[in-house]
Amino acid sequence: MLRQRTLKSVINATGVGLHSGIKVRLTLRPAQPNTGIVFRRVDLDPPVDLRADPYGVGDTRMASVLEKDGVRLGTVEHLMSALAGLGVDNVYIDVDAPELPIMDGSAGPFVFLLQSAGIEEQNAPKRFLRVKKAVEVKDGDKWARLEPYDGFKLAFSIVFNHPAVDQTGTRVEVDFADDSYVRDIARARTFGFTQDVEALRAQGLALGGSLDNAIVMDEYRVLNAEGLRLPDEFVRHKVLDAIGDLYLAGHPLLAAFSAHKSGHALNNQLLRALLADAAAWELVSFEDADRAPPGIAHLYPVLQAA
């Protein structure tokens, strides 16, 4: 049986909020089967739970923001991406600020945290959201699509008309039957442009952004002294974001995702369009792991007992 997963132990981290610029403390705790991913604003009295849920996403400017009764929690997509990439189904995430820490701008530090805590299987079947027919959303020349696929793969293309971006790879396809989330996606950092900083900060955004937690470009080049981690790091970060945004569905997908110039808003609209069509999806489990799709068996290998 492909089983649900949680953490073996509690683990803590601190960092800075990308948009708020304030110090954030984060605690990840194991959770019982069928709990899902639950964020908890522990700086409030009483604490407020915000469940990973596509219908709970409000603001999508520069991040995916969960909202409930006026309470917000922003920039959840990188941690959600890491949880999806490592197959964690159930976890409580305590945070003492209105935003998760940006860390180094990628999902890599979150992967390290999860691996340090340890991951264990639980005595409950892992439930997948299997796409049964194609669903697509559009916004001008931007689009995103989910199609049936016996595994999980993503294809993404970007257009920025910027020399530092356009000279890199601007299209990528990742199939987790063959590719590794940790090796091929997790280290790709978020990015931004110096000419946008003043406007963003006027909106209360990017107040914590720096060369330590983002790829920053002027009109012509990358300003980070170390350059890029990957030759197509920009588009791979878009895939990283999409994986996190899609995991807000509450279950890992069995699907092929493809997109052109998509972002948090369109990714969320796609999930809502999928879930709104009851004929387009179903929840499935695999009692016999040997009969699971090859890509899924590769992505979720059986863990060793604790």
Side-chain angles (χ1 to χ4, degrees), residues 4-12 26-40 49-52 66 73 76 79-84 86-95 100 110 113-115 117-120 122 126 247 250:
Q4 294 180 33
R5 298 179 177 188
T6 191
L7 304 184
K8 286 184 179 179
S9 61
V10 175
I11 195 161
N12 301 286
L26 190 69
T27 300
L28 285 76
R29 299 186 285 115
Q32 293 299 310
N34 302 316
T35 298
I37 312 298
V38 181
F39 296 92
R40 177 168 290 164
D49 288 353
L50 297 103
R51 179 174 296 277
L66 294 173
L73 183 64
V76 301
L79 178 51
M80 289 297 300
S81 186
L83 292 166
L86 295 184
V88 176
D89 300 275
N90 306 301
V91 64
Y92 288 110
I93 302 160
D94 296 345
V95 58
L100 265 64
F110 293 127
L113 274 176
L114 296 170
Q115 291 176 330
I119 299 171
E120 66 180 10
Q122 300 175 286
K126 194 177 190 76
Y247 201 40

Side-chain angles (χ1 to χ4, degrees), residues 148-220:
Y149 184 65
D150 212 16
F152 185 44
K153 68 177 181 179
L154 304 97
F156 210 111
S157 59
I158 57 175
V159 177
F160 277 91
N161 297 317
H162 187 285
V165 178
D166 295 345
Q167 68 184 3
T168 71
T170 56
R171 188 185 187 282
V172 70
E173 182 167 327
V174 179
D175 189 330
F176 289 112
D178 305 305
D179 300 305
S180 161
Y181 176 84
V182 174
R183 181 190 67 227
D184 300 318
I185 299 297
R187 295 173 58 247
R189 292 164 294 173
T190 193
F191 55 93
F193 306 91
T194 55
Q195 62 263 34
D196 296 333
V197 170
E198 186 174 340
L200 289 171
R201 291 184 172 174
Q203 300 175 62
L205 299 171
L207 300 177
S210 73
L211 292 169
D212 295 326
N213 55 38
I215 304 168
V216 182
M217 290 163 281
D218 63 14
E219 294 180 2
Y220 307 104

